[in-house]
Amino acid sequence: MKVLVGIKRVVDPYVKVRVKADKSGVEKDNVKMSMNPFCEIAVEEAVRLKEAGTADEIIVVSVGAKECQEQLRGALALGADRAIHVDSADDIEPLNVAKLFKALMTQEEAHLVILGKQSVDTDNNQVAQMLSALIGCSQGTFISQLNVNEQGVEVTREVDGGLETLQLSLPAVISTDLRLNEPRYASLPNIMKARQKPLNEIAPEELGVEIKQHQEVLEVFAPKPRSAGVKLDSVDELIAKLSLAE
């Protein structure tokens, strides 16, 4: 089974995000960048499938500027076999990403695509669903458990009412939730070995995909600072404050 894993380069979750002075976006210059946490979970699950003898090859893919090759090398150090960098702008829309993954899935003849359920920068939560619709294959989103069997893959996913178990035929697209696994750290020997693993750089045109932007960011702004709290001397004073807030 060949597994395709998508990863995204984002501002490190532990960094305080700052808005650019012209309010055109988020400041990324001289800011620590890392792999999207949900994508780390996707890579870990793919590596576990290979360690169990279920997956034969793991291909990690990232769409963005050249800098995202750093995260691809990180995924190779975690256990992926090879990487593909689709050279494009950082602000590419989810639909365009889904189209690129569709082309790669067909080209690589992948049986399973594992994606993070969302990225921590835009929080769109759209690529997995769009990719499944474009291909016309089964999907399982927000999965917290994955088991491969003779019929395909059985997944347990998070829903509002609790947990739902689905049997998916291959090819399939799944997106990972936080409870699926705990990502490992790359060892120094594996980091060194990752430098020798293949990393191919291609353009969207080579995949037959035309990038069309359907959205335009008009303004990015930080939330208003919270006002300071006050201490109240009585319940009656609290009720009065709450009544004014309504």
Side-chain angles (χ1 to χ4, degrees):
M1 180 171 68
K2 188 179 288 189
V3 182
L4 204 66
V5 182
I7 63 176
K8 186 178 183 182
R9 175 184 171 93
V10 298
V11 175
D12 191 274
Y14 299 102
V15 171
K16 185 177 181 180
V17 177
R18 294 180 291 110
V19 177
K20 290 182 178 180
D22 60 1
K23 297 184 178 182
S24 62
V26 172
E27 187 62 62
K28 294 182 181 179
D29 293 338
N30 301 317
V31 174
K32 182 181 178 182
M33 307 293 286
S34 64
M35 189 188 306
N36 179 49
F38 290 103
C39 298
E40 290 181 341
I41 296 171
V43 173
E44 173 66 25
E45 193 64 21
V47 172
R48 293 189 184 190
L49 289 176
K50 186 173 182 181
E51 290 175 343
T54 303
D56 301 310
E57 185 180 23
I58 302 171
I59 307 167
V60 288
V61 181
S62 187
V63 180
K66 189 165 184 145
E67 289 77 11
C68 69
Q69 292 185 13
E70 177 186 353
Q71 280 64 46
L72 286 172
R73 289 294 181 193
L76 292 173
L78 292 172
D81 297 297
R82 57 189 175 97
I84 298 174
H85 168 218
V86 182
D87 193 1
S88 181
D90 281 329
D91 57 350
I92 186 170
E93 294 176 9
L95 180 58
N96 291 321
V97 176
K99 289 179 179 179
L100 291 168
F101 268 87
K102 177 191 176 184
L104 284 170
M105 191 176 180
T106 303
Q107 176 179 292
E108 297 292 341
E109 297 181 348
H111 304 90
L112 183 64
V113 178
I114 307 179
L115 305 170
K117 71 172 184 178
Q118 64 196 77
S119 59
V120 296
D121 51 0
T122 57
D123 273 338
N124 284 322
N125 177 25
Q126 295 175 341
V127 175
Q129 294 88 332
M130 288 179 171
L131 176 59
S132 174
L134 289 172
I135 298 173
C137 69
S138 53
Q139 67 168 306
T141 55
F142 319 125
I143 70 163
S144 58
Q145 189 173 349
L146 170 66
N147 295 303
V148 179
N149 52 37
E150 294 180 356
Q151 291 75 39
V153 291
E154 181 183 277
V155 299
T156 300
R157 60 189 301 266
E158 308 277 344
V159 296
D160 290 339
L163 300 175
E164 178 182 58
T165 301
L166 301 174
Q167 177 65 47
L168 308 178
S169 59
L170 297 177
V173 177
I174 61 175
S175 66
T176 62
D177 204 349
L178 286 173
R179 296 173 184 82
L180 181 59
N181 61 52
E182 184 175 345
R184 69 191 70 187
Y185 291 98
S187 64
L188 182 58
N190 287 338
I191 293 174
M192 301 300 291
K193 291 177 183 177
R195 297 179 181 178
Q196 307 303 321
K197 292 184 178 180
L199 192 160
N200 298 326
E201 185 176 351
I202 60 177
E205 294 77 18
E206 297 179 56
L207 296 171
V209 177
E210 182 183 358
I211 303 300
K212 292 182 178 180
Q213 296 293 91
H214 304 87
Q215 302 171 2
E216 180 185 359
V217 177
L218 300 179
E219 183 182 1
V220 176
F221 54 90
K224 294 181 180 179
R226 296 178 61 180
S227 57
V230 294
K231 290 184 178 181
L232 304 178
D233 298 324
S234 66
V235 175
D236 292 337
E237 194 174 353
L238 173 60
I239 295 174
K241 286 281 188 183
L242 293 174
S243 299
L244 291 174
E246 292 178 358

PDB file of all heavy atoms in Angstrom, residues 9 56 118 136 157 172 190 214-215 221 237:
ATOM      1  N   ARG A   9       3.754  24.005   6.226  1.00  0.00           N
ATOM      2  CA  ARG A   9       4.647  24.858   7.018  1.00  0.00           C
ATOM      3  C   ARG A   9       3.830  26.002   7.608  1.00  0.00           C
ATOM      4  O   ARG A   9       3.167  26.746   6.879  1.00  0.00           O
ATOM      5  CB  ARG A   9       5.768  25.398   6.123  1.00  0.00           C
ATOM      6  CG  ARG A   9       6.710  26.405   6.774  1.00  0.00           C
ATOM      7  CD  ARG A   9       7.699  26.901   5.729  1.00  0.00           C
ATOM      8  NE  ARG A   9       8.501  28.021   6.191  1.00  0.00           N
ATOM      9  CZ  ARG A   9       9.694  27.903   6.765  1.00  0.00           C
ATOM     10  NH1 ARG A   9      10.202  26.704   6.948  1.00  0.00           N
ATOM     11  NH2 ARG A   9      10.380  28.968   7.156  1.00  0.00           N
ATOM     12  N   ASP A  56       3.825   0.145   2.159  1.00  0.00           N
ATOM     13  CA  ASP A  56       5.080  -0.150   1.475  1.00  0.00           C
ATOM     14  C   ASP A  56       5.929   1.088   1.262  1.00  0.00           C
ATOM     15  O   ASP A  56       7.155   1.023   1.289  1.00  0.00           O
ATOM     16  CB  ASP A  56       4.789  -0.806   0.116  1.00  0.00           C
ATOM     17  CG  ASP A  56       4.001  -2.089   0.256  1.00  0.00           C
ATOM     18  OD1 ASP A  56       4.409  -2.931   1.076  1.00  0.00           O
ATOM     19  OD2 ASP A  56       2.978  -2.238  -0.441  1.00  0.00           O
ATOM     20  N   GLN A 118      -6.805  20.028   9.936  1.00  0.00           N
ATOM     21  CA  GLN A 118      -6.786  21.457   9.646  1.00  0.00           C
ATOM     22  C   GLN A 118      -5.402  21.992   9.963  1.00  0.00           C
ATOM     23  O   GLN A 118      -4.612  21.336  10.648  1.00  0.00           O
ATOM     24  CB  GLN A 118      -7.832  22.202  10.475  1.00  0.00           C
ATOM     25  CG  GLN A 118      -7.577  22.143  11.982  1.00  0.00           C
ATOM     26  CD  GLN A 118      -8.784  22.545  12.796  1.00  0.00           C
ATOM     27  OE1 GLN A 118      -9.714  21.786  12.946  1.00  0.00           O
ATOM     28  NE2 GLN A 118      -8.748  23.763  13.309  1.00  0.00           N
ATOM     29  N   GLY A 136     -13.825  11.259  -5.786  1.00  0.00           N
ATOM     30  CA  GLY A 136     -14.989  10.387  -5.711  1.00  0.00           C
ATOM     31  C   GLY A 136     -14.701   9.136  -4.910  1.00  0.00           C
ATOM     32  O   GLY A 136     -15.214   8.044  -5.216  1.00  0.00           O
ATOM     33  N   ARG A 157     -13.981   7.893  14.284  1.00  0.00           N
ATOM     34  CA  ARG A 157     -13.899   9.349  14.156  1.00  0.00           C
ATOM     35  C   ARG A 157     -14.694  10.050  15.252  1.00  0.00           C
ATOM     36  O   ARG A 157     -15.646   9.496  15.814  1.00  0.00           O
ATOM     37  CB  ARG A 157     -14.391   9.806  12.779  1.00  0.00           C
ATOM     38  CG  ARG A 157     -15.823   9.447  12.458  1.00  0.00           C
ATOM     39  CD  ARG A 157     -16.153   9.753  10.997  1.00  0.00           C
ATOM     40  NE  ARG A 157     -15.965  11.155  10.683  1.00  0.00           N
ATOM     41  CZ  ARG A 157     -16.942  12.051  10.734  1.00  0.00           C
ATOM     42  NH1 ARG A 157     -18.176  11.689  11.103  1.00  0.00           N
ATOM     43  NH2 ARG A 157     -16.720  13.304  10.422  1.00  0.00           N
ATOM     44  N   ALA A 172      -8.753   5.869  -0.306  1.00  0.00           N
ATOM     45  CA  ALA A 172      -9.492   6.635   0.687  1.00  0.00           C
ATOM     46  C   ALA A 172      -8.679   7.842   1.137  1.00  0.00           C
ATOM     47  O   ALA A 172      -7.449   7.865   1.018  1.00  0.00           O
ATOM     48  CB  ALA A 172      -9.841   5.762   1.889  1.00  0.00           C
ATOM     49  N   ASN A 190      18.731   9.569  11.998  1.00  0.00           N
ATOM     50  CA  ASN A 190      17.675   9.665  10.978  1.00  0.00           C
ATOM     51  C   ASN A 190      17.659  11.029  10.305  1.00  0.00           C
ATOM     52  O   ASN A 190      17.313  11.143   9.123  1.00  0.00           O
ATOM     53  CB  ASN A 190      16.316   9.361  11.601  1.00  0.00           C
ATOM     54  CG  ASN A 190      16.139   7.894  11.923  1.00  0.00           C
ATOM     55  OD1 ASN A 190      16.813   7.033  11.346  1.00  0.00           O
ATOM     56  ND2 ASN A 190      15.245   7.596  12.843  1.00  0.00           N
ATOM     57  N   HIS A 214      -9.798  32.279  -5.747  1.00  0.00           N
ATOM     58  CA  HIS A 214     -11.194  32.697  -5.701  1.00  0.00           C
ATOM     59  C   HIS A 214     -11.482  33.622  -4.515  1.00  0.00           C
ATOM     60  O   HIS A 214     -12.595  34.110  -4.369  1.00  0.00           O
ATOM     61  CB  HIS A 214     -12.105  31.467  -5.613  1.00  0.00           C
ATOM     62  CG  HIS A 214     -11.905  30.484  -6.731  1.00  0.00           C
ATOM     63  ND1 HIS A 214     -10.958  29.488  -6.681  1.00  0.00           N
ATOM     64  CD2 HIS A 214     -12.507  30.372  -7.934  1.00  0.00           C
ATOM     65  CE1 HIS A 214     -10.993  28.778  -7.792  1.00  0.00           C
ATOM     66  NE2 HIS A 214     -11.920  29.299  -8.575  1.00  0.00           N
ATOM     67  N   GLN A 215     -10.468  33.815  -3.679  1.00  0.00           N
ATOM     68  CA  GLN A 215     -10.656  34.632  -2.490  1.00  0.00           C
ATOM     69  C   GLN A 215      -9.563  35.689  -2.418  1.00  0.00           C
ATOM     70  O   GLN A 215      -8.464  35.500  -2.934  1.00  0.00           O
ATOM     71  CB  GLN A 215     -10.617  33.769  -1.229  1.00  0.00           C
ATOM     72  CG  GLN A 215     -11.649  32.649  -1.201  1.00  0.00           C
ATOM     73  CD  GLN A 215     -11.423  31.709  -0.041  1.00  0.00           C
ATOM     74  OE1 GLN A 215     -10.517  31.911   0.758  1.00  0.00           O
ATOM     75  NE2 GLN A 215     -12.250  30.681   0.063  1.00  0.00           N
ATOM     76  N   PHE A 221      -6.465  41.612  11.144  1.00  0.00           N
ATOM     77  CA  PHE A 221      -6.298  42.450  12.341  1.00  0.00           C
ATOM     78  C   PHE A 221      -6.343  41.582  13.589  1.00  0.00           C
ATOM     79  O   PHE A 221      -6.941  40.508  13.606  1.00  0.00           O
ATOM     80  CB  PHE A 221      -7.387  43.537  12.407  1.00  0.00           C
ATOM     81  CG  PHE A 221      -8.785  43.008  12.322  1.00  0.00           C
ATOM     82  CD1 PHE A 221      -9.484  42.652  13.475  1.00  0.00           C
ATOM     83  CD2 PHE A 221      -9.424  42.855  11.091  1.00  0.00           C
ATOM     84  CE1 PHE A 221     -10.777  42.161  13.395  1.00  0.00           C
ATOM     85  CE2 PHE A 221     -10.709  42.367  11.001  1.00  0.00           C
ATOM     86  CZ  PHE A 221     -11.389  42.014  12.164  1.00  0.00           C
ATOM     87  N   GLU A 237     -24.375  43.673  43.238  1.00  0.00           N
ATOM     88  CA  GLU A 237     -23.538  44.444  42.313  1.00  0.00           C
ATOM     89  C   GLU A 237     -23.204  43.611  41.078  1.00  0.00           C
ATOM     90  O   GLU A 237     -23.180  44.119  39.946  1.00  0.00           O
ATOM     91  CB  GLU A 237     -22.259  44.876  43.016  1.00  0.00           C
ATOM     92  CG  GLU A 237     -21.488  45.955  42.246  1.00  0.00           C
ATOM     93  CD  GLU A 237     -20.296  46.468  43.055  1.00  0.00           C
ATOM     94  OE1 GLU A 237     -20.171  46.090  44.228  1.00  0.00           O
ATOM     95  OE2 GLU A 237     -19.498  47.217  42.456  1.00  0.00           O
TER      96      GLU A 237
END
